[in-house]
Amino acid sequence: QQQVKQSPQSLIVQKGGISIINCAYENTAFDYFPWYQQFPGKGPALLIAIRPDVSEKKEGRFTISFNKSAKQFSLHIMDSQPGDSATYFCAASWGYQKVTFGIGTKLQVIP
Amino acid sequence: EAQVTQNPRYLITVTGKKLTVTCSQNMNHEYMSWYRQDPGLGLRQIYYSMNVEVTDKGDVPEGYKVSRKEKRNFPLILESPSPNQTSLYFCASSGAAGQGSYNSPLHFGNGTRLTVT
């Protein structure tokens, strides 16, 4: 049973466009929502994270939007670049490192 | 350089032949864990360790063993591998939590691709 549902599984975006990846959760005990970025042949690396008391967090071209009442959060990548092509995982955690991951979204940004 | 090192990167073995995948971190992290990554299933936790001699099962522990005798090392042991354990494996570590209950990020190794025939 997937505790964090992530969509889409794959995404193709034109260079300069906006990439949007959505995640939904059920467990209201989750208190930390990180996104990880994974390039081929590498392990995932933390990209950006948000706490549930904040509705939006922006770091450069990457923004997390968080809707606590709907139990949904999303990653927006503005001005998407070919170098952003990677697999993105949303995650949710509670307690100390009790982390559950989404299934991942493979993003391809085409020139 | 702060890192999590896994070895080997690639491993092909046969059913039933015991194997160990090593994981070492140089960040003095208390927390370490193992994940497997499969298409359409994302990352699933196998085992984790909160500190030396403290380990616990994750979501998919069957067929795996771990030990944590030293803070820096957390090997994954498959005593009798089967084809359904063919997967991409990641070790990760993390330091103490940050402010309040919020977690510090997981630092992942570069993975071990295991094929069991």
Side-chain angles (χ1 to χ4, degrees), chain A residues 31 36 38 41 43 93 96-97, chain B residues 37 94-95 101-104 106:
Chain A
D31 63 1
Y36 285 82
Q38 182 184 29
S93 72
Y96 179 50
Q97 293 296 11
Chain B
Q37 182 178 352
S94 176
S101 66
Y102 302 115
N103 290 283
S104 56
L106 289 167

Side-chain angles (χ1 to χ4, degrees), chain A residues 5 11 14 30 33 35 38-39 46 50 57 63 67-68 71-73 75 77 79 81 86 91 109-110:
Chain A
K5 295 184 179 179
L11 182 60
Q14 290 271 356
F30 289 138
F33 300 87
W35 285 86
Q38 182 184 29
F39 293 107
L46 180 70
I50 197 167
K57 184 173 181 180
T63 300
N67 186 330
K68 190 173 182 178
K71 291 185 282 187
Q72 296 175 347
F73 58 110
L75 176 70
I77 306 174
D79 187 26
Q81 299 296 312
V109 181
I110 54 177

Side-chain angles (χ1 to χ4, degrees), chain A residues 18-88:
Chain A
I18 302 173
S19 303
I20 302 174
I21 304 171
N22 299 300
C23 287
Y25 65 96
E26 287 297 324
N27 188 347
T28 56
F30 289 138
D31 63 1
Y32 181 68
F33 300 87
W35 285 86
Y36 285 82
Q37 180 188 51
Q38 182 184 29
F39 293 107
K42 299 291 186 182
L46 180 70
L47 179 65
I48 186 172
I50 197 167
R51 304 171 182 179
D53 54 349
V54 176
S55 61
E56 185 175 282
K57 184 173 181 180
K58 184 175 181 179
E59 289 184 1
R61 297 182 294 106
F62 299 90
T63 300
I64 301 178
S65 297
F66 188 83
N67 186 330
K68 190 173 182 178
S69 60
K71 291 185 282 187
Q72 296 175 347
F73 58 110
S74 59
L75 176 70
H76 292 64
I77 306 174
M78 311 300 288
D79 187 26
S80 299
Q81 299 296 312
D84 298 330
S85 296
T87 298
Y88 293 82

Side-chain angles (χ1 to χ4, degrees), chain A residues 36 43-45 101, chain B residues 4 6 35 43 90-93 106-110:
Chain A
Y36 285 82
F101 288 86
Chain B
V4 177
Q6 292 178 231
Y35 293 86
L43 290 157
F90 288 99
C91 179
S93 71
L106 289 167
H107 298 259
F108 285 85
N110 283 330

Side-chain angles (χ1 to χ4, degrees), chain A residues 44 96, chain B residues 1-6 23-33 68 70-73 91-96 104-110:
Chain A
Y96 179 50
Chain B
E1 180 188 354
Q3 59 186 1
V4 177
T5 303
Q6 292 178 231
C23 174
S24 179
Q25 50 92 6
N26 63 0
M27 294 168 279
N28 200 36
H29 284 166
E30 292 84 9
Y31 179 91
M32 297 186 75
S33 63
R68 187 93 182 272
E70 305 167 281
K71 196 173 187 179
R72 62 183 292 124
N73 295 323
C91 179
S93 71
S94 176
S104 56
L106 289 167
H107 298 259
F108 285 85
N110 283 330

